């Protein structure tokens, strides 16, 4: 019965030794028993028996002692079957009492958690996540929490919350429970890749945002519960585990590797080039990857880029398409920040280029989303826009893992179809972004911190190289720490964005109001003064 | 110049549906029955969706939904909400959800909101747990017959395998520990690492509820083999027939050990009739699993407006209590009517205690007595009777001839129509006298 199972001893250093050795005084004791036994047997049974029997006894004893010293079992060790252990389940007696005697081996076993889960859990310790969390739980509020943190690490747009709120007050209820929409329209199962009416509304919105330079076909859209899932889904569709994507760095601190198993090969961009992408560097990275035996499946670009904020011009886009065609790979273009230029430079969507030229459409995929453009707080809505039938077909099925809830879809349909609201919103949003962007950049300039000329209205890429005490990631980390814990301003250090040059920081200003800016600058000044005096 | 290829995993996912479960669902979406517009369309009995109590939801929404729910709160609240809603789920919703889960399970157990991870439906919840508990190539044991969707949820992206543990009609399709043990040992011999057991309770498609004793035995087994248990309890509130539902959480309460190996999946798609809202949850005691799941949540988060909408709904305990009780009564009476209707045709159903479906025994109607015969009957039912039911083979049932019929998308007046249509096919299948 189970009661005869031997209790495993707690782990001792010796018990970690190789399974074939015996710890403690085992061997000596065993010999003391066996040798005389051997002699006895030899006297009667002859040489063979005299050797075999004691050897067998010796091995049995070794086995027994090994069992006694065995530590808590690992998941991979099969339980040794003792001859006394009976088959079948224990009798159905009162559970609580028998618990302690049943399967003592199992109660010491740690249930295995996958390697993937462990590596995901480890990544929480990067500055990006630490900063995000800290600033989110103790946010600055002019009246209620003047010593709180300023959240400059999250590219979320709060500038037009008032407009959105007004619209919601006036229209939200009707968009969900009113008019022709029956309860089954929002409560029951809907197509997982989004309602067609929403796709039509989103296609129209995207086109308007990009100043009608490109038009989008609703049936080529897949809607997902957020841009993150859109990118992840595309990665699953275009690359198998172990394949790779080329990504110009610095790039967004959010990871897509976790479940897809794809490798990210950074293609470093340098401050001397204004952090713009060079096809030479792309080519070099591609060749090196091939030498290492990695299969590159595509390039992931952000346009405008994150965190720098550069726009890719027409020429670069053509070169990228040429490069992709030559090497037979895909391009994923994350255009989630399209249309929010801080400067008046023109945004060019890859879709526009595809429309006009004769490139292979099957290798171009756009990711879009609504959480930035429409600053609908917490509305995750991502869009995969592709010409590739296989990608569309696979992505559509994968949306079972990331579909948008029907009430939100109806809310969005209503909002995006309200052309007056949309026009007003886009215009006001641009104005406010432009204003906040210039004020913030000017404020930093006064502190001696220059920013790369940015075309993405949500953040700026600040040059704090002269403020770090040692020109290294360590120095950058120290500055980040001071900014977070002394100035109580959360910015994203370049290392979290995989920037090869230390000292650059991404500062998102769209969660600030104009009144906040002087306060932020004052706080940063405190730290920058200290750093100045040290260097 | 080459063809821009997709990944091999995309190719296999993009393939046309080949399981009768999905083919049937596709057929209904192309040619759905509508009393007025399309009276000859296909009647849906293949989707476990509950439409019996939508009127109660509608009433609540029209009385309580207002703008402040959707966009309410001051700017400072908004700042927290942004991050929290999509990274962690709004705390108030977790509290409300924990309370609702407890209520659904008869208040026999209480749930701690900080052990909840909210996802956009139970589907991603299952997938996330597979990622966290098993590495590619590892496997879960799963009693058959099982919900066809698990094949996609578990296998498509995680690389985790499912090892069926067959249950038989002679046992009322109840899981036997002996069979579980056999399957485990066979897997080991093949060199396959088993990381856990995936079960649904109430079970889908059979509709049985696991007894307390079986739950204890399962826990013993899991402890002995040092594996996990994932208990999909999404139908916990959709019970009828008088048997009480016991959650794995309930038996863990009294046993302190080994909570780290038990994980519960829940959602609002079945018990609260809100599949369109996309609300699911992982409930776990395992810190590592919770940490990793929270990180993965951003790929499948519930949008904030929906979260805000649900907080008052789930917190309105008077409403939820009334809903739960009324809903159960309606499921019960629908079940009685439908099963009686099938009996008129000579079709018996397995004893069901929960779920939105019944497990119908059509073994006598198939010829030959194998999967081919079963699929032929399924085809006749779909194309001649124009009824979409799910054949047992799609659920990996080892005995041919069983069909899952979901009856909660119907209204009472449709039952005679459905039975009549099935009768036409049944008549042609009866052996010549």
């Amino acid at each position: 019965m189970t009661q005869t199972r031997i209790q495993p001893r707690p782990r001792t250093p010796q018990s970690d030794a190789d399974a074939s050795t015996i710890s403690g005084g085992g061997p000596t004791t065993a010999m003391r028993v066996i040798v005389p036994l051997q002699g006895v047997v030899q006297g009667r049974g002859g040489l063979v028996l005299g050797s075999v029997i004691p050897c067998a006894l010796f091995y049995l004893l070794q086995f027994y002692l090994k069992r006694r010293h065995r530590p808590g079992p690992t998941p991979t060790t099969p339980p040794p079957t003792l001859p006394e252990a009976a088959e079948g389940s224990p009798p159905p007696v009162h559970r609580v009492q028998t618990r302690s005697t049943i399967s003592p081996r199992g109660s010491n076993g740690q249930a295995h958690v996958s390697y993937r889960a462990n590596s995901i859990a480890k990544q929480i310790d990067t500055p990006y996540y630490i900063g995000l969390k800290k600033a989110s739980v103790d946010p600055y509020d002019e009246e209620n929490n003047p010593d709180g943190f300023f959240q400059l690490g999250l590219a979320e747009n709060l500038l037009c919350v008032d407009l959105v709120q007004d619209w919601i007050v006036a229209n939200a209820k009707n968009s969900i429970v009113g008019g022709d929409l029956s309860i089954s329209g929002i409560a029951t199962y809907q197509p997982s890749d989004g309602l067609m009416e929403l796709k039509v509304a989103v296609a129209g919105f995207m086109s308007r945002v990009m100043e009608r330079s490109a038009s989008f076909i609703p049936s080529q859209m897949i809607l997902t519960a957020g841009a993150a899932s859109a990118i992840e889904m595309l990665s699953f569709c275009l690359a198998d585990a172990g394949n790779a994507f080329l990504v110009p760095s610095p790039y967004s601190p959010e990871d897509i590797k976790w479940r897809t198993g794809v490798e990210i090969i950074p293609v470093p961009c340098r401050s001397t080039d204004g952090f713009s992408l060079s096809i030479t560097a792309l080519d070099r990275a591609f060749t090196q990857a091939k030498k290492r035996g990695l299969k590159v499946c595509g390039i992931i670009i952000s346009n405008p880029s994150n965190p720098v904020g550069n726009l890719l011009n027409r020429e670069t886009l053509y070169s990228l398409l040429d490069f992709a065609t030559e090497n037979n790979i895909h391009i994923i273009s994350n255009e989630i920040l399209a249309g929010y230029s801080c400067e008046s430079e023109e945004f060019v969507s890859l879709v526009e280029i595809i429309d006009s030229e004769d490139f292979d459409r099957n290798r171009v995929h756009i990711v879009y989303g609504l959480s930035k453009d429409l600053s609908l707080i917490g509305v995750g809505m991502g869009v995969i826009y592709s010409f590739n039938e296989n990608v569309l077909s696979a992505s559509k099925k994968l949306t079972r893992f990331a579909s948008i809830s029907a009430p939100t879809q109806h809310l969005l349909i209503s909002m995006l179809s309200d052309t007056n609201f949309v026009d007003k919103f886009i215009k006001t949003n641009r104005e406010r972004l432009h204003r906040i962007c210039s004020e913030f950049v000017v404020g930093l300039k006064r502190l001696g911190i220059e920013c790369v000329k940015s075309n993405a209205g949500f953040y700026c890429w600040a040059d704090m190289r002269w403020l770090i005490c040692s020109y290294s990631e360590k120095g950058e980390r120290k500055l980040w720490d001071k900014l977070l814990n002394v100035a109580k301003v959360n910015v994203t250090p370049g290392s979290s964005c995989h920037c090869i040059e230390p000292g650059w920081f991404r500062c998102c200003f769209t969660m600030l109001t104009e009144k906040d800016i002087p306060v932020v600058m004052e706080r940063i000044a405190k730290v920058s003064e200290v750093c100045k005096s040290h260097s | 110049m080459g063809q821009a290829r997709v990944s091999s995993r995309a190719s296999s996912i993009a393939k046309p549906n080949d399981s009768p479960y999905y083919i049937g669902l596709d057929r209904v979406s192309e040619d759905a029955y509508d009393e007025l517009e399309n009276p000859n369309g296909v009647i849906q009995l293949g989707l476990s969706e509950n439409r019996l109590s939508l009127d109660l939801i509608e009433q609540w929404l029209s009385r309580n939904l207002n703008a402040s729910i959707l966009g309410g709160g001051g700017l400072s609240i908004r700042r927290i909400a942004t991050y929290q809603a999509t990274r962690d789920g709004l705390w108030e919703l977790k509290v409300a959800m924990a309370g609702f889960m407890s209520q659904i399970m008869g208040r026999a157990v209480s749930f701690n909101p900080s052990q909840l991870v909210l996802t956009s439906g139970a589907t991603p919840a299952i997938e996330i747990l597979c990622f966290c508990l098993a590495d590619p190539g590892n496997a879960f044991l799963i009693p058959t017959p099982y919900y066809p969707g698990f094949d996609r949820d578990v296998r498509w992206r995680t690389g985790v395998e499912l090892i069926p543990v067959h249950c038989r009609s002679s046992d009322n399709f109840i899981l036997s520990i002996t069979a579980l043990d056999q399957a485990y040992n066979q897997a080991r011999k093949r060199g396959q690492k088993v990381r856990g057991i995936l079960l649904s309770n109430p079970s889908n498609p059979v509709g049985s509820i696991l007894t307390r004793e079986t739950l204890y035995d399962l826990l013993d087994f899991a402890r002995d083999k040092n594996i996990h248990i994932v208990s999909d309890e999404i139908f916990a509130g959709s019970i009828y027939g008088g048997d009480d539902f016991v959650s794995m959480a309930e038996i863990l309460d009294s046993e302190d050990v080994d909570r780290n190996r038990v994980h519960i999946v829940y959602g609002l798609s079945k018990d609260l009739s809100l599949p369109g809202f996309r609300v699911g949850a992982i409930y776990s005691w395992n810190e590592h699993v919770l940490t990793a799941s929270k990180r993965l949540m951003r790929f499948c988060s519930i949008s904030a407006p929906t979260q805000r909408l649900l907080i008052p709904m789930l917190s309105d305990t008077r409403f939820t209590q009334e809903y739960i009780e009324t809903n159960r009564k309606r499921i019960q009476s629908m079940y009685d009517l439908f099963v009686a209707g099938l009996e008129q045709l000579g079709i018996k159903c397995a004893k069901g205690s929960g779920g939105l479906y019944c497990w119908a025994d059509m073994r006598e109607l198939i010829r030959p007595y194998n999967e081919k015969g079963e699929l032929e009957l399924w085809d006749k039912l779909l194309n001649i009777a124009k009824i979409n039911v799910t054949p047992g083979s799609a659920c990996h049932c080892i005995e041919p001839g069983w069909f899952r019929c979901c009856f909660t998308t119907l209204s009472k007046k449709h039952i005679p129509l459905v039975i009549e249509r099935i009768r036409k096919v049944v008549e042609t299948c009866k052996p010549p006298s």
Side-chain angles (χ1 to χ4, degrees), chain A residues 95 99 105 112 114-116 161 173 177 187 189 236-237 239-240 254-255 260 330 397 400 405-406 408, chain B residues 5 7-9 15 49 62 65 87 131-132 134 153 158 213 220 224 228 270 275-277 298 303 306:
Chain A
R95 283 285 154 175
R99 219 23 50 147
R105 173 193 159 270
H112 168 97
S114 69
Y115 296 121
R116 304 185 268 205
V161 158
K173 182 165 180 176
V177 225
Y189 278 106
F236 268 108
C237 289
D240 287 303
E254 297 282 358
D255 216 325
T260 59
H330 294 268
K397 291 187 179 174
R400 70 189 277 117
S405 58
T408 303
Chain B
R5 288 225 155 73
S7 62
S8 55
R9 43 194 180 183
K15 274 192 302 206
E49 178 181 69
S62 50
L65 182 65
R87 305 285 169 142
F131 270 109
C132 291
D153 299 346
T158 67
E213 199 53 44
D220 282 342
D224 192 45
H228 293 271
K270 316 291 181 184
F277 276 44
R298 72 182 185 97
S303 58
T306 305

